[in-house]
Amino acid sequence: HRPPGASHLSSPTTALLLGGMQGTPLSANDVSSKVIVVGLQDEGGSNGSTSGGVTRGADIPISAAYPTLTPPPRKATALKGSEEAGFVSSDLVFEDKTSPTLSGTHVDGDVPPPIKSDEIVVEGFPASSEDGTGGTPPNKVDFAHGMKSGSVEQHEENWDDVSGPFLGNWSRQIVKHYYYILLALIATCLAMSIFVMYGPPDERCTPGATSGQMTVCDQTPYDWSLPYGNASLFKDAYLNAIESVEDEFKTLTGGTTGEVAERSATAGDFSITWIFQHEDGSDSTIFTPKKVQAMCKAEAVVTQHPLWKYYCPLAADGTCAGQMLSAVSRFYPTSQDRVDCALLSQAVIDARGAALVSNLLTSTNGFFVNEGTVEGGYTNATRSMLQLGQPLKGFTGEEDAKDDQRLVYRLFAKGFKCGSGGKVKLHDGSKFKGFEVAGPCEGKPEGHEVVGVEQKVFDHYSMEGFPASGQFQGSLRSPYFTMPLIELEGESTLKSRFYSGLFQQLEFDRVVNGDLNFAILSVATVFCYIYFHTRSAAIATASMFHIVISLPVGYFFYFNVFQYHYYSQMHILTIFLALGIGADSVFVYVDAWKESGKMHTIRTNAGRLHFSLNRTAQSCFNTTFTTVMSFVATCLTPIMPIHAFAVFAAIVMSVNYLLVISYTPCVVYIYHLHVGDKGGCCCFCNGASQTCRWQEHSEQDTIEAREADPAYKCLCYSKGERNLPKPVVISEESAVRRTESQDERESLETLLSRMGKVEHFMYNRFAPFLCGKVPNAPFYKKPVACGVILFFFGYFAFMISSAAQLTPPKTEELWFPEGHMHNSDFFKRLSDGWKGTADNQYLRASITMGVESMQRPHYNWFFPGRERGAVEWDPSFDLSKAEQQAFFISACDAVQQHDCGGGGEGPA
């Protein structure tokens, strides 16, 4: 109550908070919620005066002023020593730290005499009053109303106590040295990232690379194999045995030994294959004058390319050899004919076409016709192949520096830019010598672009992606989504599809670049949502920095500490894990920080940090730990790329967690000091107009921290007194800072009034629907909850059953969607449905004898294409013995007499 006639109250003394009128019984609800401020001094009065009907210093116990108080207040503790001592009670007392001016409306009624603070005892109220009435009330209150019921004795954790061994001490250090800690963390992360980007690489991963550890390794056919399985060991033993005795075998059989002549063999892996068919699927011959001419022009794009002469198979005279698997060469026999691609007469087409559909089982003609084609008939589709030569100049054979040769073949498909002096800049350490004399850049200026074969084919068919050019050409929409069709006057449209292993690798690069664009979009989306949730662009930017930087920092430990030197496109997927878990951790910390500002038992910034860190460290540890352990379990896989990805992901998630409990608290605390409330807006804008800040007024601890902050003084105080923080005027309503225990006992209606739409839905709709409307009801009265549990138990059992029935895939992995040229139908058509294969042999099987085992002393799992080992010969194998000769002959007879089936067609 305010003394009558007083316009306002101004006392630095701790006030006693009570409610009700003298002689009026107070219910428990009154004690817990109906509390006002009682002033102890009139504005114009003094100690001992009677101005306004109040005598300061008059002695009167509570029991005399409120003889019918029921139930009594809770356990209280007094701080003795002076009249300005604080009365510590979680229910009844507010200690005024900032001595604000209190203003409010007049409250009518009798004014109880004030109490001397030194008469308040530690436990309960005075045992007796001056008139002999009163007594010691119990220290527990049975609350009949509010959120809790029953006998309650609250135990509050003192978050302002930051003397703990880890989180408390860490909170104290952040409050003292937040700038130094933040700068040290940023500098360390940036140093690790720079080292990863420019540090020494592993040349086994990227041959010829001189810098950059975080580089995608060259892919090999062995990456996804099981290196220690029998199938892999047997194959390696066979290939190594053949290689080991190859020279001796050639000597015994009259062959040549030593180096293989330049491009004397064909490189099947890098050949370019076309499939030509009617666009409307009509059942008529594909060989017409106009269609054959269109096929010729398509192949001429490759054979007339300036790089073709450096990659084509060579004849004995050093010129490009003929292409035996080219359908065009059957109609245009000479190289000049294939350059001109003149329109042939119908008679010539018929004659040469008839020769092509004859001898289907005894020649390579079966390669060009459908499997349903009969002798002397016709085919409504055909395929044609242009083969590249191997080994390239500078290499001794197919197996010599395979990774190096693969990169040189890639130049043929992708193209390159000329270097200085008319030279072609190859990767460091390349053995290729083909461009040294009369190379493609001779006489060309530096920077001249030699367009690759793939782009030339795109131009021929008018296939264009998006973007149409540049480093990220086709990353958003690949040119392969445009079906190459050639319209012919008077005939059906010719549908032309093409494929090469070189082209597929380039297409994979485009897909990866496109996925990176989507990753950037994901980063932008997460940034926007963090900004929306925190209402701070600064917090969102700093959070995205810590999320993104966790990848190179994690890679630093992955590469340099744990010695994992394999990096693939799969590793890039970790960014999505970091975005999801990192953003969630930021939300947890920011929400905990905001909540700590409303907890009146926390009175220091160190306490707020302590509370927020404790909440975040525990909650996010559970999320991070379960995620990390899921990847640790994935590390048990024998498939190397998946194993390496799991290790990398587990490290990145751990780094992300460490940054959340070290970097994020510094950022949020600095934000709190500078822009967290209106007092911190002085160097940015007029605080009175701000509605985006986290809290309205500055705490005394924050004001003191700002006075000691050098950046705050530099940015704010130097701008003049107009920018200095103004004293905060607190209204009577806001002056009464409620304690956490009071908040817990607020009426349900008050809590509901503060709920948002989502919370209202969860409370009023979802929770009653799921758990029933009767609290603490037995489980059989919660049918929805029981049904959900039973459903997930059933789903779990179904998934366990399905997992037990998993089998290896029986078809090749499909990497592209159906609208892509290289879809499932194309790959099936590329190899199936033809009369014969490329060399007219369906399967090549080998039986190796005399091998004891396969030894791999220097094999590295992460570079499976290298050091695959050597065979150990069986000392007991001796073909000079009669019994072994007999076994060898019987094995050969068994293979020759085996019936391959096929219904009389094909080789047996």
Side-chain angles (χ1 to χ4, degrees):
H1 302 273
R2 185 174 58 195
S7 59
H8 66 277
L9 300 173
S10 57
S11 172
T13 309
T14 297
L16 178 66
L17 308 184
L18 287 176
M21 304 291 290
Q22 181 176 0
T24 303
L26 296 179
S27 66
N29 198 42
D30 294 328
V31 174
S32 63
S33 60
K34 297 180 180 179
V35 181
I36 60 175
V37 177
V38 181
L40 299 182
Q41 178 179 332
D42 185 10
E43 183 182 23
S46 60
N47 291 345
S49 68
T50 59
S51 173
V54 178
T55 302
R56 181 180 175 89
D59 296 339
I60 180 170
I62 293 178
S63 57
Y66 292 93
T68 56
L69 175 63
T70 49
R74 291 186 60 206
K75 179 177 180 179
T77 303
L79 301 179
K80 295 185 178 181
S82 69
E83 289 186 327
E84 299 188 8
F87 185 74
V88 182
S89 170
S90 60
D91 291 333
L92 301 177
V93 175
F94 163 66
E95 181 179 1
D96 182 11
K97 282 189 171 184
T98 58
S99 302
T101 299
L102 302 179
S103 61
T105 58
H106 176 70
V107 181
D108 296 327
D110 296 332
V111 181
I115 306 168
K116 281 187 178 180
S117 60
D118 56 5
E119 287 200 18
I120 304 175
V121 298
V122 174
E123 296 292 340
F125 290 93
S128 61
S129 60
E130 292 184 1
D131 58 359
T133 61
T136 303
N139 293 326
K140 294 182 181 180
V141 179
D142 183 47
F143 296 106
H145 305 285
M147 294 295 292
K148 291 187 177 181
S149 62
S151 182
V152 178
E153 185 168 9
Q154 184 176 349
H155 174 71
E156 299 273 354
E157 183 166 356
N158 184 11
W159 296 109
D160 291 327
D161 180 11
V162 290
S163 59
F166 178 67
L167 291 180
N169 182 62
W170 181 237
S171 304
R172 184 173 67 253
Q173 296 303 321
I174 291 177
V175 171
K176 289 182 178 180
H177 312 294
Y178 47 90
Y179 283 130
Y180 295 112
I181 294 175
L182 180 64
L183 292 176
L185 288 172
I186 293 177
T188 302
C189 291
L190 289 178
M192 290 181 178
S193 302
I194 293 173
F195 187 82
V196 164
M197 296 302 175
Y198 300 100
D202 191 328
E203 291 194 356
R204 295 172 298 177
C205 171
T206 52
T210 58
S211 63
Q213 296 178 348
M214 203 170 183
T215 305
V216 176
C217 296
D218 293 338
Q219 307 299 301
T220 70
Y222 301 101
D223 288 354
W224 294 82
S225 63
L226 302 178
Y228 300 104
N230 284 336
S232 179
L233 291 172
F234 291 165
K235 181 179 179 180
D236 287 348
Y238 161 72
L239 294 176
N240 187 262
I242 295 297
E243 184 180 359
S244 300
V245 299
E246 185 175 10
D247 289 347
E248 184 177 357
F249 173 76
K250 290 180 178 179
T251 300
L252 293 174
T253 57
T256 59
T257 61
E259 296 184 3
V260 180
E262 177 190 354
R263 289 184 275 161
S264 58
T266 57
D269 293 342
F270 305 130
S271 59
I272 305 174
T273 304
W274 278 267
I275 294 180
F276 299 103
Q277 59 190 120
H278 299 291
E279 197 272 335
D280 59 4
S282 60
D283 186 17
S284 60
T285 181
I286 194 67
F287 298 126
T288 65
K290 290 183 179 180
K291 285 185 171 61
V292 172
Q293 183 185 39
M295 299 176 195
C296 179
K297 291 180 178 179
E299 287 194 0
V301 173
V302 177
T303 58
Q304 299 306 306
H305 193 280
L307 294 178
W308 173 251
K309 61 182 179 181
Y310 301 101
Y311 291 91
C312 65
L314 294 179
D317 59 357
T319 60
C320 288
Q323 294 286 333
M324 297 302 297
L325 296 178
S326 168
V328 172
S329 64
R330 300 303 181 96
F331 295 91
Y332 295 92
T334 68
S335 59
Q336 188 59 45
D337 291 340
R338 293 190 291 273
V339 173
D340 299 335
C341 292
L343 184 64
L344 302 177
S345 65
Q346 186 64 53
V348 172
I349 293 293
D350 291 342
R352 295 175 181 176
L356 192 63
V357 295
S358 61
N359 302 321
L360 297 178
L361 298 180
T362 58
S363 67
T364 58
N365 288 350
F367 176 81
F368 304 105
V369 299
N370 283 333
E371 62 181 353
T373 304
V374 298
E375 287 285 338
Y378 64 90
T379 179
N380 64 351
T382 189
R383 57 180 174 172
S384 185
M385 179 186 294
L386 292 179
Q387 296 176 299
L388 305 185
Q390 69 174 14
L392 298 174
K393 188 175 183 179
F395 300 94
T396 60
E398 177 184 359
E399 300 298 325
D400 182 19
K402 294 186 67 173
D403 294 333
D404 187 1
Q405 287 197 70
R406 185 181 296 106
L407 293 176
V408 178
Y409 280 115
R410 184 183 174 92
L411 295 177
F412 174 66
K414 186 177 181 180
F416 50 84
K417 289 186 177 181
C418 297
S420 60
K423 302 294 184 181
V424 178
K425 181 174 177 55
L426 303 173
H427 53 278
D428 296 338
S430 176
K431 299 172 63 176
F432 181 59
K433 308 297 181 184
F435 293 157
E436 290 185 347
V437 179
C441 287
E442 187 171 330
K444 303 293 190 303
E446 183 177 359
H448 173 77
E449 183 177 4
V450 177
V451 180
V453 170
E454 185 192 44
Q455 185 59 48
K456 288 290 187 180
V457 176
F458 287 159
D459 295 340
H460 175 73
Y461 288 114
S462 299
M463 300 168 62
E464 188 174 286
F466 182 80
S469 60
Q471 180 181 359
F472 296 99
Q473 177 187 12
S475 59
L476 297 180
R477 186 182 185 277
S478 171
Y480 286 102
F481 281 98
T482 302
M483 190 62 64
L485 303 175
I486 301 178
E487 296 183 358
L488 303 173
E489 184 178 355
E491 295 187 18
S492 62
T493 301
L494 179 64
K495 183 178 180 180
S496 174
R497 291 182 288 179
F498 54 90
Y499 171 82
S500 172
L502 297 173
F503 295 169
Q504 187 179 50
Q505 287 299 319
L506 296 179
E507 180 66 359
F508 278 139
D509 292 344
R510 278 186 284 269
V511 171
V512 171
N513 289 334
D515 291 345
L516 288 177
N517 292 331
F518 287 113
I520 295 173
L521 180 62
S522 300
V523 171
T525 302
V526 173
F527 170 84
C528 293
Y529 190 78
I530 294 178
Y531 172 74
F532 169 78
H533 185 84
T534 63
R535 297 184 296 176
S536 168
I539 296 294
T541 302
S543 300
M544 293 311 304
F545 172 81
H546 116 250
I547 292 173
V548 174
I549 205 71
S550 63
L551 270 74
V553 172
Y555 194 84
F556 176 86
F557 292 100
Y558 172 83
F559 189 96
N560 299 286
V561 177
F562 294 96
Q563 294 295 305
Y564 279 78
H565 293 180
Y566 179 81
Y567 186 68
S568 68
Q569 289 93 343
M570 181 180 290
H571 287 60
I572 301 174
L573 299 177
T574 310
I575 181 63
F576 300 105
L577 298 170
L579 283 172
I581 295 180
D584 178 70
S585 301
V586 171
F587 296 154
V588 171
Y589 185 85
V590 170
D591 289 346
W593 175 264
K594 291 180 180 179
E595 181 181 349
S596 68
K598 301 176 182 178
M599 296 173 61
H600 304 305
T601 55
I602 301 178
R603 301 178 179 275
T604 64
N605 287 329
R608 294 186 64 182
L609 271 169
H610 190 191
F611 172 81
S612 304
L613 267 175
N614 185 76
R615 171 77 62 83
T616 306
Q618 292 184 13
S619 301
C620 295
F621 177 80
N622 296 332
T623 304
T624 303
F625 179 76
T626 53
T627 304
V628 168
M629 292 310 298
S630 68
F631 285 114
V632 170
T634 307
C635 292
L636 301 177
T637 178
I639 302 176
M640 183 271 295
I642 298 179
H643 170 88
F645 164 74
V647 172
F648 178 63
I651 295 174
V652 169
M653 294 299 99
S654 302
V655 171
N656 196 300
Y657 174 76
L658 294 177
L659 289 177
V660 164
I661 63 175
S662 58
Y663 169 87
T664 302
C666 295
V667 170
V668 172
Y669 185 64
I670 293 174
Y671 179 84
H672 167 72
L673 291 183
H674 287 279
V675 294
D677 55 51
K678 291 180 179 179
C681 291
C682 61
C683 50
F684 296 93
C685 54
N686 181 11
S689 64
Q690 289 299 299
T691 59
C692 61
R693 306 308 171 199
W694 289 350
Q695 60 190 63
E696 185 176 2
H697 302 296
S698 304
E699 301 293 342
Q700 182 65 27
D701 197 44
T702 301
I703 295 176
E704 294 173 358
R706 286 171 178 162
E707 292 174 353
D709 187 287
Y712 190 89
K713 290 190 291 185
C714 176
L715 295 173
C716 299
Y717 292 169
S718 62
K719 295 183 179 297
E721 187 166 20
R722 65 182 179 84
N723 286 329
L724 290 176
K726 302 297 189 299
V728 180
V729 179
I730 306 180
S731 64
E732 182 175 342
E733 180 181 358
S734 62
V736 183
R737 300 184 58 191
R738 302 181 61 78
T739 64
E740 185 179 13
S741 58
Q742 286 176 312
D743 291 339
E744 290 178 349
R745 296 193 304 275
E746 284 183 331
S747 66
L748 184 60
E749 291 77 11
T750 303
L751 293 178
L752 288 174
S753 66
R754 298 179 180 178
M755 289 184 179
K757 293 182 179 180
V758 175
E759 288 138 325
H760 266 293
F761 170 79
M762 299 298 291
Y763 182 84
N764 295 321
R765 303 295 182 187
F766 184 75
F769 170 76
L770 187 65
C771 300
K773 296 183 178 180
V774 180
N776 302 320
F779 72 91
Y780 55 82
K781 291 187 178 180
K782 301 176 181 179
V784 176
C786 295
V788 171
I789 294 174
L790 292 176
F791 170 79
F792 278 103
F793 268 112
Y795 180 73
F796 177 74
F798 169 75
M799 295 304 295
I800 291 293
S801 174
S802 299
Q805 301 176 35
L806 287 176
T807 58
K810 299 179 180 180
T811 59
E812 186 178 358
E813 183 72 28
L814 301 178
W815 300 102
F816 304 108
E818 288 302 315
H820 196 279
M821 182 193 297
H822 297 163
N823 56 21
S824 58
D825 175 70
F826 175 75
F827 277 107
K828 182 179 180 181
R829 191 73 177 102
L830 195 64
S831 57
D832 299 337
W834 304 97
K835 202 72 172 179
T837 61
D839 54 5
N840 209 35
Q841 294 179 358
Y842 293 109
L843 180 65
R844 175 176 294 172
S846 301
I847 298 177
T848 306
M849 299 181 181
V851 174
E852 176 71 19
S853 63
M854 186 72 182
Q855 299 298 325
R856 292 175 169 171
H858 305 293
Y859 177 75
N860 189 314
W861 189 29
F862 299 103
F863 305 102
R866 299 170 177 267
E867 303 290 346
R868 293 193 65 84
V871 296
E872 181 176 319
W873 303 107
D874 184 358
S876 64
F877 181 76
D878 186 0
L879 273 180
S880 63
K881 296 180 180 180
E883 61 274 15
Q884 295 194 17
Q885 292 180 18
F887 177 81
F888 185 82
I889 293 174
S890 64
C892 292
D893 291 339
V895 172
Q896 291 177 342
Q897 295 171 7
H898 180 70
D899 183 9
C900 294
E905 294 187 5

